[in-house]
Coordinates of all heavy atoms in Angstrom, one line a residue:
E17 N 90.5 115.4 116.3 CA 90.2 115.8 115.0 C 91.3 115.4 114.0 O 91.1 114.9 113.0 CB 89.9 117.3 114.9 CG 89.8 117.8 113.6 CD 89.5 119.3 113.6 OE1 88.8 119.8 114.5 OE2 90.1 120.0 112.8
F18 N 92.6 115.7 114.4 CA 93.7 115.4 113.6 C 94.0 113.9 113.5 O 94.2 113.4 112.4 CB 94.9 116.1 114.2 CG 96.1 116.2 113.3 CD1 96.1 116.8 112.1 CD2 97.3 115.5 113.7 CE1 97.2 116.8 111.2 CE2 98.4 115.5 112.8 CZ 98.3 116.2 111.6
I19 N 93.8 113.2 114.7 CA 93.9 111.8 114.7 C 92.8 111.1 113.9 O 93.0 110.1 113.2 CB 93.9 111.3 116.1 CG1 95.1 111.8 116.9 CG2 93.9 109.8 116.2 CD1 96.5 111.4 116.4
L20 N 91.6 111.6 113.9 CA 90.5 111.1 113.2 C 90.8 111.1 111.7 O 90.5 110.1 111.0 CB 89.2 111.9 113.5 CG 88.0 111.4 112.8 CD1 87.6 110.0 113.2 CD2 86.8 112.3 113.1
M21 N 91.5 112.1 111.2 CA 91.8 112.2 109.8 C 92.8 111.1 109.4 O 92.6 110.5 108.4 CB 92.5 113.6 109.5 CG 92.8 113.8 108.1 SD 93.5 115.4 107.7 CE 95.0 115.4 108.7
F22 N 93.7 110.8 110.3 CA 94.6 109.7 110.0 C 94.0 108.3 110.1 O 94.3 107.4 109.4 CB 95.9 109.8 110.9 CG 96.9 110.8 110.4 CD1 96.9 112.1 110.9 CD2 97.8 110.4 109.4 CE1 97.8 113.0 110.4 CE2 98.7 111.4 108.9 CZ 98.7 112.7 109.4
I23 N 93.0 108.2 111.0 CA 92.3 106.9 111.1 C 91.5 106.7 109.8 O 91.4 105.6 109.3 CB 91.4 106.9 112.4 CG1 92.3 106.8 113.6 CG2 90.4 105.7 112.3 CD1 91.6 107.0 114.9
V24 N 90.8 107.7 109.3 CA 90.1 107.6 108.1 C 91.0 107.3 106.9 O 90.7 106.5 106.0 CB 89.3 108.9 107.8 CG1 88.7 108.9 106.4 CG2 88.2 109.1 108.8
A25 N 92.2 107.9 106.9 CA 93.2 107.6 105.9 C 93.6 106.2 105.9 O 93.8 105.5 104.9 CB 94.4 108.5 106.0
T26 N 93.8 105.6 107.2 CA 94.2 104.2 107.3 C 93.1 103.3 106.8 O 93.4 102.3 106.1 CB 94.5 104.0 108.8 OG1 95.5 104.9 109.3 CG2 95.0 102.5 109.0
L27 N 91.9 103.6 107.1 CA 90.8 102.8 106.7 C 90.7 102.8 105.1 O 90.4 101.8 104.5 CB 89.5 103.2 107.3 CG 89.4 102.9 108.8 CD1 88.1 103.4 109.4 CD2 89.5 101.4 109.1
S28 N 90.8 104.0 104.6 CA 90.7 104.1 103.1 C 91.9 103.4 102.4 O 91.7 102.8 101.4 CB 90.6 105.5 102.7 OG 91.8 106.2 103.0
L29 N 93.1 103.4 103.0 CA 94.2 102.7 102.5 C 93.9 101.2 102.5 O 94.2 100.4 101.6 CB 95.5 103.0 103.2 CG 96.2 104.3 102.9 CD1 97.3 104.5 103.9 CD2 96.7 104.3 101.5
F30 N 93.3 100.7 103.6 CA 93.0 99.3 103.8 C 92.0 98.9 102.7 O 92.1 97.8 102.1 CB 92.5 99.0 105.2 CG 92.1 97.6 105.4 CD1 93.2 96.6 105.6 CD2 90.8 97.1 105.5 CE1 92.9 95.3 105.8 CE2 90.5 95.8 105.7 CZ 91.6 94.9 105.8
V31 N 90.9 99.7 102.5 CA 90.0 99.4 101.4 C 90.6 99.4 100.1 O 90.3 98.5 99.2 CB 88.8 100.4 101.5 CG1 87.9 100.3 100.3 CG2 88.0 100.2 102.8
S32 N 91.5 100.3 99.8 CA 92.2 100.3 98.5 C 93.1 99.0 98.4 O 93.2 98.5 97.3 CB 93.1 101.5 98.4 OG 92.4 102.7 98.5
M33 N 93.7 98.6 99.5 CA 94.5 97.4 99.4 C 93.6 96.1 99.1 O 94.0 95.3 98.3 CB 95.2 97.2 100.7 CG 96.3 98.2 101.0 SD 97.0 98.1 102.6 CE 98.3 96.9 102.4
V34 N 92.4 96.1 99.6 CA 91.5 95.0 99.3 C 91.1 95.0 97.8 O 91.1 94.0 97.1 CB 90.3 95.0 100.2 CG1 89.2 94.1 99.8 CG2 90.7 94.7 101.7
L35 N 90.8 96.2 97.3 CA 90.5 96.4 95.9 C 91.6 96.0 95.0 O 91.4 95.4 93.9 CB 90.0 97.8 95.6 CG 88.7 98.2 96.2 CD1 88.4 99.7 96.0 CD2 87.5 97.4 95.7
V36 N 92.8 96.3 95.4 CA 94.0 95.9 94.5 C 94.2 94.4 94.6 O 94.6 93.8 93.5 CB 95.3 96.7 95.0 CG1 96.5 96.1 94.5 CG2 95.2 98.1 94.6
I37 N 93.9 93.8 95.7 CA 94.0 92.3 95.8 C 93.0 91.7 94.8 O 93.3 90.7 94.1 CB 93.8 91.8 97.2 CG1 95.0 92.2 98.1 CG2 93.6 90.3 97.3 CD1 96.3 91.5 97.7
V38 N 91.8 92.3 94.8 CA 90.8 91.8 93.9 C 91.3 91.9 92.4 O 91.1 91.0 91.6 CB 89.4 92.5 94.1 CG1 88.4 92.2 93.0 CG2 88.9 92.1 95.4
R39 N 91.9 93.0 92.1 CA 92.4 93.3 90.8 C 93.5 92.3 90.4 O 93.7 91.8 89.3 CB 92.9 94.7 90.6 CG 93.5 95.0 89.3 CD 92.4 95.0 88.3 NE 92.9 95.3 87.0 CZ 92.2 95.1 85.8 NH1 91.0 94.6 85.9 NH2 92.7 95.4 84.7
L40 N 94.3 91.9 91.4 CA 95.4 90.9 91.2 C 94.8 89.6 90.8 O 95.4 89.0 89.9 CB 96.2 90.7 92.5 CG 97.2 89.7 92.5 CD1 98.4 90.1 91.6 CD2 97.7 89.4 93.9
F41 N 93.7 89.1 91.3 CA 93.2 87.8 91.0 C 92.3 87.9 89.7 O 92.1 86.9 89.1 CB 92.4 87.2 92.1 CG 93.3 86.8 93.3 CD1 93.2 87.5 94.5 CD2 94.2 85.8 93.1 CE1 94.1 87.1 95.5 CE2 95.0 85.4 94.1 CZ 95.0 86.0 95.3
V42 N 91.8 89.1 89.4 CA 90.9 89.2 88.2 C 91.6 89.7 87.0 O 91.2 89.4 85.9 CB 89.7 90.3 88.6 CG1 88.9 90.6 87.4 CG2 88.9 89.7 89.7
G43 N 92.7 90.4 87.1 CA 93.5 90.9 86.0 C 93.7 90.0 84.9 O 94.2 88.9 85.1
P44 N 93.3 90.3 83.6 CA 93.4 89.4 82.5 C 94.9 89.1 82.1 O 95.2 88.0 81.7 CB 92.6 90.1 81.4 CG 92.6 91.5 81.7 CD 92.7 91.6 83.2
S45 N 95.7 90.1 82.1 CA 97.1 89.9 81.6 C 98.1 89.9 82.8 O 97.8 90.3 83.9 CB 97.5 90.9 80.6 OG 97.7 92.2 81.3
I46 N 99.3 89.4 82.5 CA 100.3 89.3 83.5 C 100.8 90.8 83.9 O 101.1 91.0 85.1 CB 101.5 88.5 83.1 CG1 102.5 88.2 84.2 CG2 102.3 89.2 82.0 CD1 101.9 87.3 85.2
Y47 N 100.7 91.7 83.0 CA 101.1 93.1 83.3 C 100.1 93.7 84.3 O 100.5 94.5 85.1 CB 101.3 93.9 82.1 CG 102.4 93.3 81.2 CD1 102.2 92.6 80.1 CD2 103.7 93.4 81.7 CE1 103.2 92.1 79.3 CE2 104.8 92.9 80.9 CZ 104.5 92.2 79.8 OH 105.5 91.7 79.0
D48 N 98.8 93.4 84.2 CA 97.8 93.9 85.1 C 98.1 93.3 86.5 O 98.0 94.1 87.5 CB 96.4 93.5 84.7 CG 95.9 94.2 83.5 OD1 96.3 95.3 83.3 OD2 95.1 93.6 82.7
K49 N 98.5 92.1 86.6 CA 98.9 91.5 87.9 C 100.1 92.1 88.5 O 100.2 92.3 89.7 CB 99.0 90.0 87.7 CG 97.7 89.4 87.3 CD 97.7 87.9 87.1 CE 96.4 87.4 86.7 NZ 96.3 85.9 86.8
V50 N 101.1 92.4 87.7 CA 102.3 93.0 88.2 C 102.0 94.4 88.7 O 102.5 94.8 89.7 CB 103.4 93.0 87.1 CG1 104.6 93.9 87.5 CG2 103.9 91.6 86.8
L51 N 101.2 95.1 87.9 CA 100.8 96.5 88.3 C 100.0 96.4 89.7 O 100.2 97.3 90.5 CB 99.9 97.1 87.3 CG 99.4 98.5 87.6 CD1 100.6 99.5 87.7 CD2 98.5 99.0 86.5
A52 N 99.2 95.4 89.8 CA 98.4 95.2 91.1 C 99.4 95.0 92.3 O 99.2 95.5 93.3 CB 97.4 94.1 91.0
V53 N 100.4 94.1 92.0 CA 101.4 93.9 93.1 C 102.2 95.1 93.4 O 102.4 95.4 94.6 CB 102.3 92.7 92.7 CG1 103.4 92.6 93.7 CG2 101.5 91.4 92.6
N54 N 102.5 95.9 92.4 CA 103.3 97.1 92.6 C 102.4 98.1 93.4 O 102.9 98.8 94.3 CB 103.7 97.7 91.3 CG 104.7 98.9 91.5 OD1 105.2 99.1 92.6 ND2 104.8 99.7 90.5
S55 N 101.1 98.2 93.0 CA 100.2 99.1 93.7 C 100.0 98.7 95.2 O 99.9 99.5 96.1 CB 98.9 99.2 93.0 OG 99.0 99.7 91.7
F56 N 99.9 97.4 95.4 CA 99.8 96.9 96.7 C 101.0 97.3 97.6 O 100.9 97.6 98.7 CB 99.6 95.4 96.7 CG 99.3 94.8 98.1 CD1 98.0 94.9 98.6 CD2 100.2 94.3 98.9 CE1 97.7 94.4 99.8 CE2 100.0 93.8 100.1 CZ 98.7 93.8 100.6
G57 N 102.2 97.2 97.0 CA 103.4 97.6 97.7 C 103.4 99.0 98.0 O 103.8 99.4 99.1
T58 N 103.0 99.9 97.1 CA 102.9 101.3 97.4 C 101.9 101.6 98.5 O 102.2 102.4 99.4 CB 102.5 102.1 96.1 OG1 103.5 101.8 95.1 CG2 102.5 103.5 96.3
L59 N 100.8 101.0 98.4 CA 99.8 101.2 99.5 C 100.3 100.7 100.8 O 100.0 101.2 101.9 CB 98.5 100.5 99.1 CG 97.7 101.2 98.0 CD1 96.5 100.3 97.5 CD2 97.2 102.5 98.4
T60 N 101.1 99.6 100.8 CA 101.6 99.1 102.0 C 102.6 100.1 102.6 O 102.7 100.3 103.9 CB 102.4 97.7 101.8 OG1 101.4 96.8 101.2 CG2 102.9 97.2 103.0
V61 N 103.4 100.7 101.8 CA 104.3 101.8 102.3 C 103.6 102.9 102.9 O 103.9 103.3 104.0 CB 105.2 102.3 101.1 CG1 106.0 103.5 101.5 CG2 106.2 101.2 100.7
L62 N 102.5 103.4 102.3 CA 101.7 104.4 102.9 C 101.0 104.0 104.2 O 101.0 104.7 105.2 CB 100.6 104.9 101.9 CG 101.1 105.6 100.7 CD1 100.0 105.8 99.7 CD2 101.7 106.9 101.0
F63 N 100.6 102.7 104.2 CA 100.0 102.2 105.4 C 101.0 102.1 106.6 O 100.6 102.5 107.7 CB 99.4 100.8 105.1 CG 98.5 100.2 106.1 CD1 97.2 100.7 106.2 CD2 98.9 99.1 106.9 CE1 96.3 100.1 107.1 CE2 98.0 98.6 107.8 CZ 96.7 99.1 107.9
I64 N 102.2 101.7 106.3 CA 103.2 101.6 107.3 C 103.5 103.0 107.9 O 103.6 103.2 109.1 CB 104.5 100.9 106.8 CG1 104.3 99.5 106.6 CG2 105.7 101.2 107.7 CD1 105.4 98.8 105.8
C65 N 103.6 104.0 107.0 CA 103.9 105.3 107.4 C 102.8 106.0 108.3 O 103.1 106.6 109.3 CB 104.2 106.2 106.2 SG 105.7 105.8 105.4
V66 N 101.6 105.7 107.9 CA 100.4 106.3 108.6 C 100.3 105.6 110.0 O 100.1 106.2 111.0 CB 99.1 106.1 107.8 CG1 97.9 106.4 108.7 CG2 99.1 107.1 106.7
L67 N 100.5 104.3 110.0 CA 100.5 103.5 111.3 C 101.7 104.0 112.2 O 101.5 104.1 113.4 CB 100.6 102.0 111.1 CG 99.3 101.4 110.6 CD1 99.5 99.9 110.4 CD2 98.1 101.7 111.6
G68 N 102.8 104.3 111.6 CA 103.9 104.8 112.4 C 103.6 106.1 113.0 O 104.0 106.4 114.2
F69 N 102.9 107.0 112.3 CA 102.5 108.3 112.8 C 101.5 108.1 113.9 O 101.6 108.7 115.0 CB 101.9 109.2 111.7 CG 101.4 110.5 112.3 CD1 102.3 111.5 112.5 CD2 100.0 110.6 112.5 CE1 101.8 112.7 113.1 CE2 99.6 111.8 113.0 CZ 100.4 112.9 113.3
L70 N 100.5 107.2 113.7 CA 99.5 107.0 114.7 C 100.0 106.4 116.0 O 99.6 106.7 117.1 CB 98.4 106.1 114.2 CG 97.4 106.7 113.2 CD1 96.5 105.7 112.6 CD2 96.7 107.9 113.8
S71 N 101.0 105.6 115.9 CA 101.6 104.9 117.1 C 102.8 105.8 117.7 O 103.3 105.4 118.7 CB 102.1 103.5 116.8 OG 103.2 103.6 115.8
G72 N 103.1 106.9 117.0 CA 104.2 107.7 117.5 C 105.6 107.1 117.4 O 106.5 107.4 118.1
R73 N 105.8 106.3 116.4 CA 107.1 105.7 116.1 C 107.6 106.2 114.8 O 107.3 105.6 113.7 CB 106.9 104.2 116.1 CG 106.3 103.6 117.3 CD 106.9 102.6 118.1 NE 108.2 102.1 117.6 CZ 108.4 100.8 117.5 NH1 107.5 99.9 117.8 NH2 109.6 100.4 117.2
P74 N 108.5 107.2 114.8 CA 109.0 107.7 113.5 C 109.9 106.7 112.8 O 110.2 106.9 111.6 CB 109.7 109.0 113.9 CG 110.0 108.8 115.4 CD 109.0 107.9 115.9
D75 N 110.4 105.7 113.4 CA 111.3 104.7 112.8 C 110.5 103.9 111.7 O 111.1 103.3 110.9 CB 112.0 103.8 113.8 CG 111.0 103.2 114.8 OD1 109.9 103.7 115.0 OD2 111.4 102.2 115.4
F76 N 109.2 103.9 111.8 CA 108.4 103.3 110.8 C 108.6 103.9 109.4 O 108.4 103.3 108.4 CB 106.9 103.3 111.1 CG 106.4 102.2 112.0 CD1 107.3 101.6 113.0 CD2 105.1 101.7 112.0 CE1 106.9 100.6 113.8 CE2 104.7 100.7 112.9 CZ 105.6 100.2 113.8
L77 N 108.9 105.2 109.3 CA 109.2 105.8 108.1 C 110.4 105.2 107.4 O 110.4 105.1 106.2 CB 109.4 107.3 108.3 CG 108.2 108.1 108.8 CD1 108.6 109.6 109.0 CD2 107.1 108.0 107.8
D78 N 111.4 104.9 108.2 CA 112.6 104.2 107.6 C 112.2 102.8 107.1 O 112.7 102.4 106.0 CB 113.7 104.0 108.7 CG 114.2 105.3 109.1 OD1 114.1 106.3 108.4 OD2 114.7 105.4 110.3
I79 N 111.4 102.1 107.8 CA 110.9 100.8 107.3 C 110.1 100.9 106.0 O 110.2 100.2 105.1 CB 110.1 100.1 108.4 CG1 111.0 99.8 109.6 CG2 109.4 98.8 107.9 CD1 110.2 99.4 110.9
G80 N 109.3 102.0 106.0 CA 108.5 102.2 104.8 C 109.4 102.6 103.6 O 109.1 102.1 102.5
L81 N 110.4 103.3 103.8 CA 111.3 103.7 102.7 C 112.1 102.5 102.2 O 112.2 102.3 101.0 CB 112.3 104.7 103.2 CG 113.3 105.3 102.2 CD1 112.6 106.0 101.0 CD2 114.3 106.2 102.8
L82 N 112.5 101.6 103.1 CA 113.2 100.4 102.7 C 112.2 99.5 101.9 O 112.6 98.9 100.9 CB 113.7 99.6 103.9 CG 114.4 98.3 103.7 CD1 115.7 98.6 102.9 CD2 114.7 97.6 105.0
Y83 N 111.0 99.4 102.4 CA 110.0 98.5 101.7 C 109.7 99.1 100.3 O 109.5 98.3 99.3 CB 108.7 98.4 102.5 CG 107.8 97.4 102.0 CD1 108.0 96.1 102.2 CD2 106.7 97.8 101.2 CE1 107.1 95.1 101.7 CE2 105.9 96.8 100.6 CZ 106.1 95.5 100.9 OH 105.2 94.6 100.4
A84 N 109.7 100.4 100.1 CA 109.5 101.0 98.8 C 110.6 100.7 97.9 O 110.4 100.4 96.7 CB 109.3 102.6 99.0
L85 N 111.9 100.7 98.4 CA 113.0 100.4 97.5 C 112.9 98.9 97.1 O 113.2 98.6 95.9 CB 114.3 100.7 98.2 CG 114.6 102.2 98.4 CD1 115.8 102.3 99.3 CD2 114.8 102.9 97.1
I86 N 112.6 98.0 98.0 CA 112.5 96.6 97.7 C 111.4 96.4 96.7 O 111.5 95.6 95.7 CB 112.3 95.8 99.0 CG1 113.5 95.8 99.8 CG2 111.9 94.4 98.6 CD1 113.4 95.2 101.2
N87 N 110.2 97.1 96.8 CA 109.1 97.0 95.9 C 109.5 97.4 94.5 O 109.2 96.8 93.5 CB 108.0 97.8 96.5 CG 106.7 97.7 95.6 OD1 106.4 96.7 95.1 ND2 106.0 98.8 95.5
F88 N 110.2 98.5 94.4 CA 110.7 99.0 93.1 C 111.6 98.0 92.4 O 111.4 97.7 91.2 CB 111.4 100.4 93.3 CG 112.0 100.9 92.0 CD1 111.2 101.4 91.0 CD2 113.3 100.9 91.8 CE1 111.7 101.9 89.8 CE2 113.9 101.4 90.7 CZ 113.1 101.9 89.7
V89 N 112.6 97.6 93.1 CA 113.6 96.6 92.5 C 112.8 95.3 92.1 O 113.1 94.7 91.1 CB 114.7 96.4 93.5 CG1 115.6 95.2 93.0 CG2 115.6 97.6 93.6
G90 N 111.9 94.8 93.0 CA 111.2 93.6 92.7 C 110.3 93.8 91.4 O 110.2 92.9 90.6
T91 N 109.7 94.9 91.3 CA 108.8 95.2 90.1 C 109.7 95.2 88.8 O 109.3 94.6 87.8 CB 108.1 96.5 90.3 OG1 107.3 96.4 91.4 CG2 107.2 96.7 89.1
I92 N 110.8 95.9 88.9 CA 111.7 96.0 87.7 C 112.2 94.6 87.3 O 112.2 94.2 86.1 CB 112.8 96.9 87.9 CG1 112.3 98.4 88.1 CG2 113.8 96.9 86.8 CD1 111.5 98.9 87.0
A93 N 112.6 93.8 88.3 CA 113.1 92.4 88.1 C 112.0 91.5 87.5 O 112.3 90.8 86.6 CB 113.7 91.8 89.3
T94 N 110.8 91.7 88.0 CA 109.7 90.9 87.5 C 109.4 91.2 86.0 O 109.2 90.3 85.2 CB 108.5 91.1 88.4 OG1 108.8 90.7 89.7 CG2 107.3 90.2 87.9
L95 N 109.3 92.5 85.7 CA 109.0 92.9 84.4 C 110.1 92.5 83.4 O 109.8 92.1 82.3 CB 108.8 94.4 84.3 CG 107.5 94.9 84.9 CD1 107.5 96.4 85.0 CD2 106.3 94.3 84.2
K96 N 111.4 92.6 83.9 CA 112.5 92.1 83.0 C 112.4 90.6 82.8 O 112.6 90.1 81.6 CB 113.8 92.5 83.6 CG 115.0 92.1 82.8 CD 116.3 92.5 83.4 CE 117.4 92.0 82.5 NZ 118.7 92.3 83.0
F97 N 112.0 89.9 83.8 CA 111.9 88.4 83.6 C 110.8 88.1 82.6 O 110.9 87.2 81.8 CB 111.6 87.7 85.0 CG 111.4 86.3 84.8 CD1 112.4 85.4 84.6 CD2 110.1 85.8 84.9 CE1 112.2 84.1 84.5 CE2 109.8 84.4 84.8 CZ 110.9 83.6 84.6
F98 N 109.6 88.8 82.7 CA 108.5 88.4 81.8 C 108.8 88.9 80.4 O 108.3 88.4 79.4 CB 107.2 89.0 82.3 CG 106.6 88.2 83.5 CD1 106.4 88.8 84.7 CD2 106.4 86.9 83.3 CE1 105.9 88.1 85.7 CE2 105.8 86.1 84.3 CZ 105.6 86.7 85.5
K99 N 109.7 89.9 80.2 CA 110.0 90.3 78.9 C 111.1 89.5 78.2 O 110.9 89.1 77.1 CB 110.5 91.8 78.9 CG 110.7 92.3 77.5 CD 111.1 93.8 77.5 CE 111.2 94.3 76.1 NZ 111.5 95.7 76.1
Y100 N 112.1 89.1 78.9 CA 113.3 88.4 78.4 C 113.4 87.0 78.8 O 114.2 86.2 78.3 CB 114.6 89.1 78.7 CG 114.7 90.5 78.2 CD1 114.7 91.6 79.0 CD2 114.7 90.8 76.8 CE1 114.8 92.9 78.6 CE2 114.8 92.1 76.3 CZ 114.8 93.1 77.2 OH 114.9 94.4 76.7
R101 N 112.6 86.6 79.8 CA 112.6 85.2 80.3 C 113.9 84.8 81.0 O 114.3 83.7 81.0 CB 112.2 84.2 79.3 CG 110.9 84.3 78.7 CD 109.9 83.9 79.8 NE 108.5 84.0 79.2 CZ 107.5 84.2 80.0 NH1 107.6 84.5 81.3 NH2 106.3 84.3 79.5
L102 N 114.7 85.8 81.4 CA 115.9 85.6 82.2 C 116.2 86.8 83.0 O 115.7 87.9 82.7 CB 117.1 85.2 81.3 CG 117.6 86.3 80.3 CD1 118.9 86.8 80.8 CD2 117.7 85.6 79.0
I103 N 117.0 86.7 84.1 CA 117.3 87.8 85.0 C 118.7 88.2 84.8 O 119.1 89.2 85.4 CB 117.0 87.3 86.4 CG1 115.6 86.9 86.7 CG2 117.4 88.4 87.4 CD1 114.6 88.1 86.7
G104 N 119.5 87.6 84.0 CA 120.9 87.9 83.8 C 121.2 89.3 83.3 O 120.3 90.2 83.2
D105 N 122.4 89.6 82.9 CA 122.9 90.9 82.5 C 122.3 91.3 81.2 O 122.0 92.4 81.0 CB 124.4 91.0 82.5 CG 124.9 91.0 83.9 OD1 124.2 91.4 84.8 OD2 126.1 90.6 84.1
S106 N 122.4 90.4 80.2 CA 121.9 90.8 78.8 C 120.9 89.9 78.3 O 120.8 88.7 78.6 CB 123.1 90.8 77.9 OG 123.5 89.5 77.6
P107 N 120.0 90.4 77.5 CA 118.9 89.6 76.9 C 119.3 88.8 75.7 O 118.5 88.5 74.9 CB 117.8 90.6 76.6 CG 118.6 91.9 76.3 CD 119.8 91.8 77.2
R108 N 120.6 88.5 75.5 CA 121.0 87.8 74.3 C 120.5 86.3 74.3 O 120.2 85.8 75.4 CB 122.6 87.7 74.3 CG 123.2 89.0 73.9 CD 124.7 88.7 73.7 NE 125.2 88.0 74.9 CZ 126.5 88.0 75.3 NH1 127.3 88.7 74.6 NH2 126.9 87.3 76.3
D109 N 120.4 85.8 73.2 CA 120.0 84.3 73.1 C 121.2 83.5 73.6 O 122.4 83.8 73.4 CB 119.8 84.0 71.6 CG 119.2 82.6 71.4 OD1 118.8 82.0 72.4 OD2 119.1 82.2 70.3
I110 N 120.9 82.4 74.2 CA 121.9 81.5 74.8 C 122.8 80.9 73.8 O 124.0 80.7 74.0 CB 121.2 80.4 75.6 CG1 120.3 81.0 76.7 CG2 122.2 79.5 76.2 CD1 121.0 81.5 77.9
N111 N 122.2 80.6 72.6 CA 123.0 80.0 71.5 C 123.9 80.9 70.8 O 124.8 80.4 70.0 CB 122.0 79.3 70.5 CG 121.2 78.2 71.1 OD1 121.7 77.5 72.0 ND2 120.0 78.1 70.7
E112 N 123.8 82.2 71.0 CA 124.7 83.1 70.3 C 126.1 83.1 71.1 O 126.2 82.9 72.2 CB 124.2 84.6 70.4 CG 123.0 84.8 69.5 CD 122.6 86.3 69.6 OE1 123.4 87.1 70.1 OE2 121.5 86.6 69.2
G113 N 127.1 83.3 70.3 CA 128.4 83.4 70.9 C 128.7 84.8 71.4 O 127.8 85.7 71.3
P114 N 129.8 85.1 72.0 CA 130.1 86.4 72.5 C 130.2 87.4 71.3 O 130.5 87.0 70.2 CB 131.5 86.2 73.2 CG 132.0 84.9 72.8 CD 130.9 84.1 72.3
D115 N 130.0 88.7 71.6 CA 130.0 89.7 70.6 C 131.4 89.9 69.9 O 132.4 89.8 70.4 CB 129.6 91.1 71.1 CG 128.1 91.0 71.5 OD1 127.4 90.2 70.9 OD2 127.7 91.8 72.4

């Protein structure tokens, strides 16, 4: 009964991941696509944690936590790139001199 609940959760996470992939390809703006990739990363973290529980491997929680941090940093870097068109320290114009 308890395992059945986690199997249903795993299947629902998988269906959600498929729907987010559809949103990734259909999304009209770049921000919709970035949100879809971020949502896919979050669902992947949950999927890794549930699979770790089902297989009896608690070290999957560490892998899920690491993947969540990578997902967060990647999303912030992507949004910064699309806003300023560069990844460097400051969003100054290249032709400007130092302050």
Side-chain angles (χ1 to χ4, degrees):
E17 171 181 321
F18 193 63
I19 297 295
L20 181 63
M21 181 176 64
F22 279 96
I23 291 173
V24 169
T26 304
L27 290 175
S28 63
L29 283 171
F30 183 72
V31 169
S32 298
M33 291 169 90
V34 170
L35 291 174
V36 166
I37 290 291
V38 169
R39 182 64 180 170
L40 175 67
F41 290 112
V42 173
S45 73
I46 192 68
Y47 297 108
D48 291 329
K49 294 178 181 192
V50 170
L51 180 64
V53 170
N54 189 17
S55 298
F56 187 82
T58 302
L59 290 169
T60 303
V61 169
L62 292 171
F63 194 72
I64 288 170
C65 293
V66 169
L67 284 180
F69 176 79
L70 287 175
S71 65
R73 306 233 0 226
D75 50 339
F76 276 29
L77 295 176
D78 296 334
I79 295 169
L81 183 62
L82 180 66
Y83 190 80
L85 291 172
I86 292 170
N87 183 37
F88 174 73
V89 170
T91 301
I92 297 300
T94 303
L95 289 174
K96 183 177 179 183
F97 176 76
F98 284 122
K99 184 173 182 180
Y100 299 115
R101 295 292 182 208
L102 62 108
I103 299 289
D105 288 337
S106 73
R108 290 187 309 204
D109 188 12
I110 303 282
N111 296 326
E112 286 183 17
D115 291 334

